Amino acid sequence: MQCTYCEWRCDLSDGSLGVCRMYVEEGGAIRERFPYRWSSCIPSRVESVPFYHAWPGSRCLVIGTAGCNFRCRYCSNSFVAKQDPASIQDGMIELLPAELIRKAKQLGCHSIVFNVNEPAMSFPSLVELAGEARGAGMPMGCLTNAYTTEESTELLGSIFSFFNIGLKGLADSFNRDSIGIPSVDPILRNIRRLAALGHVEVTTPVIESANDGELEEIARFIADVDPEIPWHVFRLLPEDEMKGARYPNIDAIAGALESIRAFLPHVYFHNFVGSDWVNTRCPDCGTTVIERFSLGCGGDRLRSFICRGNLCPSCGREIRLHGEKVAWSAGEVRQ
Ligand SMILES: [Zn+2]
């Protein structure tokens, strides 16, 4: 029997495991091997995920599971993404969906965001969780590599309302050598579809000498889908198999991004201390409408929010946001 959750379409006949090792065939159906088992369940600022145009200022419960359908050579979460999921015990917690929602509420979280690994690894648990979250009025978002089939992209769209999609590179050679997939085409198709179904932001890690020549082409694709999509460019400090590789040059990337802003205005550049590319500027008049503070490595927070609703206070241009600004609520936060 073929698994149709992602574009690998693995054959799970006779008890074999697919690329991600997270599903098995049982009684003519695809079953999750480790339901309700989470590798992460901690509150965070939504800006740190990052989401810059969704529920600004809010606190989310960041969850993750194990397994991945990609084999990125630079993976920073290889502990949960690349290990045999059956062998990971340390730090994994089992919580039923209703218990997870209760925990999110206790911690003062406004939403739930799937991060760490790939949500397509845990579809059945997430479908159940989405049902509970809907009942509790809690929005759900995710980071995804969007290597899902057309059917399961619809499933993603029914579970989550906001997405940060990883678009790592366009060239087949890059995708084959650095990510381990034959083509980026399904991802491009799914970015278009998810942008129609919900709120989308896109993230691209810049890897020195691997995809740094493709920035403009990637930006043109995003602008063609929708020029209001926020684009997060991450200066990648390679881990895992690429540990020791050269760090991308900040000035060279910033120079390339400056000209991209002309056709894709909401460009953000992350992962170095003191970046002033973490603020939102009004594309028409240049006023800084949302100011953020960045510690350089995923420690972002809202500093000031001067939009009037979702309008620039100076010229009235729409700054597209998914959800309104949410007041930071009291409660325990570890980050
Ligand atoms: Zn303006």
Side-chain angles (χ1 to χ4, degrees), residues 97-176:
E99 294 173 320
L100 210 149
I101 297 291
R102 210 173 305 132
K103 186 175 168 104
K105 282 185 172 170
Q106 280 166 0
L107 292 169
C109 296
H110 166 269
S111 65
I112 295 190
V113 171
F114 191 102
N115 192 345
V116 185
N117 60 315
E118 170 55 40
M121 303 298 97
S122 306
F123 267 128
S125 287
L126 291 172
V127 167
E128 271 189 61
L129 181 62
E132 293 285 343
R134 214 169 290 125
M138 205 169 257
M140 278 179 61
C142 73
L143 268 64
T144 175
N145 62 33
Y147 198 60
T148 40
T149 59
E150 283 182 87
E151 312 92 274
S152 63
T153 303
E154 299 301 312
L155 195 54
L156 273 182
S158 71
I159 298 169
F160 302 104
S161 53
F162 53 113
F163 305 87
N164 189 327
I165 304 173
L167 177 53
K168 297 156 206 290
L170 299 174
D172 284 349
S173 56
F174 170 79
N175 280 288
R176 204 174 44 235

Side-chain angles (χ1 to χ4, degrees), residues 37-54:
R37 206 182 70 147
W38 315 97
S39 59
S40 170
C41 195
I42 52 168
S44 172
R45 296 173 188 274
V46 82
E47 284 81 10
S48 286
V49 172
F51 280 104
Y52 273 12
H53 287 231

